[in-house]
Structure formats: C-alpha cells, structure tokens
C-alpha cells in the first residue's frame, strides 16, 4: 500500500488538532516553534514543509540524519530488506545484523576484541551500558557529568544532568561531576581542576569503588560542550583507579560528525571500555548499539537480555548502507572542511552581534551561545527564542539547547555544502539584526 492510499490529512490544522487531542501531555514541551511546521519531504540537507517552503535542516532531525535525508542508498538497502523479511528477532540467525556487528567493531580502536549488542534506541543502549558496567565491576556507583543528556528511560535519566529532563522515579547510585565547560564551567578554563574534582567526588559521594563514568565526547543537549584536551583520558584514568570503566556516549558526536575522527573520543586517544551509539547510525531508521570490549560484556552471558527490534534486519541494512555512504562520499572530510568554514562565519557574526557570547564546537557539531551581557555571560533565553524563530523565516531549522535554552545548536546532515554555509551565515546575520 503506498502512502497515497493511506487516508492522510496533510493540513496543519488537522495535524495540530490530532496532536492536541491524542498526544499525551508528556510530549507537549517538545514543540520548538511558536507556530509549528508540518514537514512533507526531505532530501540531502534540505526539508520542505507542506506549503512547499524549503529549509536547511541544521538540526539533522535531532542528529539522526547523518548522510542526508532519504539517502537513496540507505532507502534502497532498507526497502530491499523490508520486502524480503522485515523483521527477524535476535534469537534467530540472520546475516545482516551479524555483518553490521562486524563492521561496527571494525570502526573501533585496533588491538582490542570488540563485541556488539544491538538495541532499538540510544537510551536502551545507555541502560545496557550501565548494567554492563555494574555487572562487570561488581560496583554500583556511576559518575556522570552535569549538563549531560543520556536519554528518556529511567536509568538514562538517572545519569542525565539537566533538571528539565529528570522526572520522578529514577534509580540512584549516581554522582555528578562538573562538566569541563571552557566558557562558563565552575573552574573556568583548563582541564586539571575538573579532573581533580572527579577524585573528590569519588572520595565523597560514592562508596570509593565505582562502576564507571559516562561521558559525551561533546555534550549535545548541554549546549555543544566539547571535552577539553586530556579530560577524557584523565577521567578514564581516575575512574579506572577506582575500579570503574570509561563509557563513551557517542550518540551525537559519533559517525564522523566532528570531522576530525570517526568517533568523538578519538580526539583524546582514550580507548573506552564501552561505546554507546544510535541516531546517525540509522540515518533516521531506529537503531542503537553498545560496542564493548569482549571481557566487559562476558559476565552478562549469565542472564537473558535482548531488545525485540535490536537486530531488526531492515534497520541493520540501513545502518550498513550508512557506513558505506560515510566512506564513499568522504563525509568525515566534508564535515571537517565545511564545518571549519561555518565556524569561521559564526566567529565573524560574533564580531558584529554583541548577543553572541560564544561560538564553539567542531566539524558539523557547532553552537552559538547567546547572552544579554558579554562580560557577565548572562544567559539570554528570550533573544535565543527570537533568533530561533527569525531563522525559520530565513529557511533555517536550528535547535535551542543548553540548560537555559540559550544556545543555538547546529548538527546538520554531514553533506552540508559550502553554498549552504553562505545561506546559513546570511540568514543568521539577518535574524540577529532583528534581535533587541
Ligand atoms: N545520548 C545522547 C547524547 C543523546 O543525545 C540521546 C538522544 N537525544 C540519547 C543518548 C538517547 O537516545 P534515544 O533518544 O535514541 O533513546
């Protein structure tokens, strides 16, 4: 049955009315625009709404679109698999997830035995990584960073350090360390004070023995906070000394997004014990994974653990195609070069617009933080909301991020072009010119 034969009301009013009536209140906060948009089509780095307006998707549909909307090779791989056998649950054998596991292991640092557990989503992979680290080490306490985001499940929320994402009923045994934010972190610039604080937190807020630390190589929802040089390796050293593991959350920073490497953690030569991934892996098809050192995953053989769609061959076929497209289209190099050009244009905008307090990030994971007073670094949620809405008029879809929603995050599909950079810079310039 084609999409056309399913009765679909494409009107904005109809969609809004159905959402208002049938979506649970738990979903209402997640509506970014004053007047929402109904999207109809995506191709490459572009989106079109039902009125035919074209946008550059600087949010990459929440960092899921790595190689471009509806990439023909990804769609073709998924369609071919769906027509043959849409689902094959993990307990039965199928070559596609097995190939994907081998191909994901091959992206990891050499010299270790990597094994893969496929999940449906990033938060499931986070839950599994938490369980795996506690099972392997026999310790309960986990460390997480303030202003981290790791997902909506109860366990993932328990290591999420932004209160707006934390709900009642989360499990405990988690202690938070301050994020090494080089713009407004509590110890200012540098790495060492933040590492020393890890030791103090272990000594004061845990039993002294920990299961691990979970670190986003670049915090996403926290507002694109890059781990400074030496932080990831230093954190791993300290946590390992207390019996724990280093868990890299690469859900946003993985799959070539930083332009410098395939994985964000590679910036610091740390070799994690567990790597969590999702989003860009499926280019929009739902899939996540835990990739772990073989010995770390081994004790979990004692009990059942599986995710119904985890090894779904349709999503796995899409993911295999994503890995090939990333390589064949040179998207890591594109992210590096186009990201650097965009970064320079954002810096130039900061010279012109006093509301821009900071420009940061790497590759195609960039952000502008907006302030009402540069020297006091006062967060400015209102101006951010204004610029965000004004950008929409310029055909730009961004995201308001950070604990005070005063950062504009840019995480577009990795095929963004130099021509797009020009459109983005001019659009942002106009949007800032209308602010205050
Ligand atoms: N970790 C990070 C860094 C994320 O950004 C997200 C999703 N935004 C998750 C984990 C959870 O992934 P999912 O929404 O697929 O459960």
């Amino acid at each position: 049955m084609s999409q056309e034969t399913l009765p679909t009301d494409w009107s904005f009013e109809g969609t809004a009315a159905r959402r208002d009536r049938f979506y649970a209140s738990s979903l209402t906060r997640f509506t970014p625009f004053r007047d929402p948009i109904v999207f109809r089509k995506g191709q490459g780095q572009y989106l079109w709404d039902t009125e035919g307006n074209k946008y550059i998707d600087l949010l990459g549909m929440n960092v899921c679109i790595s190689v471009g909307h509806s990439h023909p090779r990804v769609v073709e791989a998924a369609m071919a698999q769906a027509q043959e056998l849409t689902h094959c649950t993990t307990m039965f054998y199928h070559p596609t997830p097995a190939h994907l596991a081998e191909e994901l292991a091959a992206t990891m640092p050499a010299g270790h035995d990597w094994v893969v557990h496929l999940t449906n989503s990033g938060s499931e992979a986070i839950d599994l990584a938490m369980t795996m680290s506690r099972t392997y080490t026999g310790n309960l306490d986990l460390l997480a960073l303030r202003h981290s985001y790791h997902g909506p499940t109860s366990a993932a929320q328990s290591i999420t350090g932004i209160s707006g994402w934390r709900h009642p009923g989360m499990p405990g045994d988690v202690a938070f360390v301050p994020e090494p934010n080089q713009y407004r972190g509590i110890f200012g610039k540098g790495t060492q004070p933040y590492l020393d604080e890890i030791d103090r937190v272990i000594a004061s807020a845990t039993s002294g023995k920990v299961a691990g630390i979970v670190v986003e190589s670049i915090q996403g929802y926290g507002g694109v906070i890059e781990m400074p040089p030496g932080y990831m390796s230093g954190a791993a050293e300290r946590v390992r000394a207390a019996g724990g593991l280093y868990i890299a959350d690469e859900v946003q920073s993985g799959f070539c997004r930083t332009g410098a490497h395939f994985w964000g953690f590679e910036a610091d030569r740390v070799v994690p014990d567990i790597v969590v991934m999702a989003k860009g892996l499926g280019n929009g098809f739902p899939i996540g994974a835990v990739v772990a050192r073989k010995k770390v995953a081994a004790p979990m053989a004692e009990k059942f653990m599986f995710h119904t769609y985890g090894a779904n061959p349709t999503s796995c076929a899409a993911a295999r195609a994503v890995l090939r497209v990333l390589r064949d289209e040179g998207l890591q190099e594109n992210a590096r070069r186009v990201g650097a050009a965009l970064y320079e244009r954002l810096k130039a905008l900061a010279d012109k617009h006093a509301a821009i307090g900071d420009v940061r990030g790497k590759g195609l994971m960039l952000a502008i933080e907006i302030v009402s007073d540069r020297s006091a670094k006062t967060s400015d949620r209102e101006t951010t909301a204004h610029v965000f809405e004004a950008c929409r008029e310029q055909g730009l879809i961004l995201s308001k991020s950070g604990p005070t929603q005063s950062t504009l995050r840019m995480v577009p599909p990795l095929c963004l072009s130099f021509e797009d950079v020009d459109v983005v810079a001019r659009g942002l310039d106009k949007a800032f010119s209308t602010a205050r």
Side-chain angles (χ1 to χ4, degrees):
M1 187 185 280
S2 80
Q3 167 104 327
E4 299 316 316
T5 60
L6 289 173
T8 302
D9 170 6
W10 277 97
S11 72
F12 170 76
E13 294 72 20
T15 304
R18 285 186 186 88
R19 279 180 68 121
D20 284 350
R21 169 63 187 86
F22 297 110
Y23 276 25
S25 304
S26 39
L27 288 164
T28 48
R29 275 294 294 274
F30 223 59
T31 308
F33 288 109
R34 242 185 341 246
D35 300 313
I37 308 178
V38 181
F39 286 118
R40 175 112 204 192
K41 182 179 156 59
Q43 196 177 48
Q45 59 275 46
Y46 307 117
L47 286 166
W48 285 264
D49 65 19
T50 38
E51 331 244 272
N53 299 309
K54 182 182 177 186
Y55 304 86
I56 298 180
D57 182 9
L58 289 170
L59 179 55
M61 267 311 155
N62 209 355
V63 214
C64 292
I65 308 301
S66 46
V67 300
H69 283 281
S70 301
H71 193 289
R73 285 177 67 190
V74 178
V75 171
E76 195 190 316
M79 273 176 57
Q81 182 56 55
Q83 277 168 346
E84 180 107 337
L85 180 67
T86 305
H87 185 49
C88 178
T89 191
T90 312
M91 73 179 95
F92 301 119
Y93 281 33
H94 193 282
T96 299
H99 274 301
L100 177 62
E102 181 179 23
E103 288 156 6
L104 284 176
T107 67
M108 291 292 143
H112 303 272
D113 266 351
W114 296 100
V115 293
V116 178
H117 183 130
L118 295 162
T119 65
N120 313 319
S121 67
S123 40
E124 282 181 349
I126 284 284
D127 278 24
L128 173 58
M130 293 169 73
T131 303
M132 200 178 265
S133 65
R134 285 169 168 156
T135 306
Y136 176 76
T137 62
N139 303 329
L140 276 182
D141 289 306
L142 276 164
L143 298 185
L145 271 60
R146 287 191 203 152
H147 299 163
S148 59
Y149 179 82
H150 297 290
T153 59
S154 297
Q157 278 185 53
S158 76
I159 56 165
T160 288
I162 307 174
S163 70
W165 299 97
R166 293 171 62 88
H167 297 259
M170 292 169 286
D173 300 313
V174 175
F176 286 90
V177 295
E179 82 290 0
N181 181 338
Q182 301 295 289
Y183 178 59
R184 59 166 77 248
I186 58 169
F187 300 123
K189 279 195 196 305
T191 301
Q192 196 57 41
Y194 296 94
L195 292 177
D196 292 343
E197 187 65 6
I198 292 178
D199 283 333
R200 284 192 285 266
V201 169
I202 291 174
S204 62
T206 76
S207 66
K209 285 279 171 205
V210 301
I213 186 167
V214 189
V215 181
E216 292 164 87
S217 305
I218 302 181
Q219 289 187 332
Y221 287 5
V224 183
I225 308 299
E226 196 179 336
M227 296 302 114
Y231 182 81
M232 293 186 277
S233 47
E237 218 171 87
R238 280 154 180 79
V239 165
R240 284 172 179 152
L245 304 180
Y246 185 86
I247 303 166
D249 181 340
E250 292 283 348
V251 170
Q252 293 211 17
S253 52
F255 299 102
C256 304
R257 181 152 296 282
T258 69
H261 303 96
F262 194 93
W263 298 112
F265 64 76
E266 291 177 277
D268 204 12
R269 300 192 199 296
V270 65
V271 179
D273 300 289
I274 302 177
V275 181
V276 173
M277 61 196 69
K279 292 193 189 275
L281 170 60
N283 202 48
F285 285 90
I287 184 166
V290 162
V291 182
R293 299 193 195 200
K294 189 172 183 161
K295 64 171 186 191
V296 168
M300 290 202 59
E302 298 301 314
K303 295 201 183 237
F304 287 107
M305 164 71 82
F306 98 114
H307 306 81
T308 294
Y309 299 105
N312 171 270
T314 305
S315 289
C316 290
R320 292 191 72 199
V322 166
L323 295 178
R324 280 163 177 73
V325 173
L326 283 170
R327 186 192 57 211
D328 295 350
E329 296 186 4
L331 292 180
Q332 182 177 313
E333 180 60 6
N334 192 66
R336 190 181 70 77
R337 293 174 61 227
V338 175
L342 180 55
Y343 182 85
E344 286 312 314
R345 297 292 294 270
L346 300 180
K347 280 283 194 197
L349 287 174
D351 291 339
K352 186 169 168 191
H353 299 285
I356 301 180
D358 192 30
V359 172
R360 56 177 177 257
K362 172 155 116 180
L364 285 172
M365 190 161 182
L366 298 171
I368 289 175
E369 183 159 343
I370 296 176
V371 292
S372 56
D373 177 335
R374 267 194 183 166
S375 48
K377 301 183 181 173
T378 318
S379 297
D380 190 345
R381 187 193 284 256
E382 287 72 38
T383 302
T384 310
H386 174 90
V387 173
F388 173 78
E389 293 281 348
C391 277
R392 172 192 174 165
E393 304 304 315
Q394 302 299 323
L396 306 178
I397 303 293
L398 299 127
S399 145
K400 287 173 287 184
S401 301
T404 55
Q405 298 272 288
S406 53
T407 297
L408 292 176
R409 188 166 51 113
M410 287 165 242
V411 282
L414 303 178
C415 52
L416 195 81
S417 71
F418 287 111
E419 293 76 54
D420 298 321
V421 167
D422 207 44
V423 178
V424 172
R426 280 189 279 118
L428 278 165
D429 190 22
K430 280 201 186 124
F432 274 105
S433 302
T434 64
R436 278 198 249 135

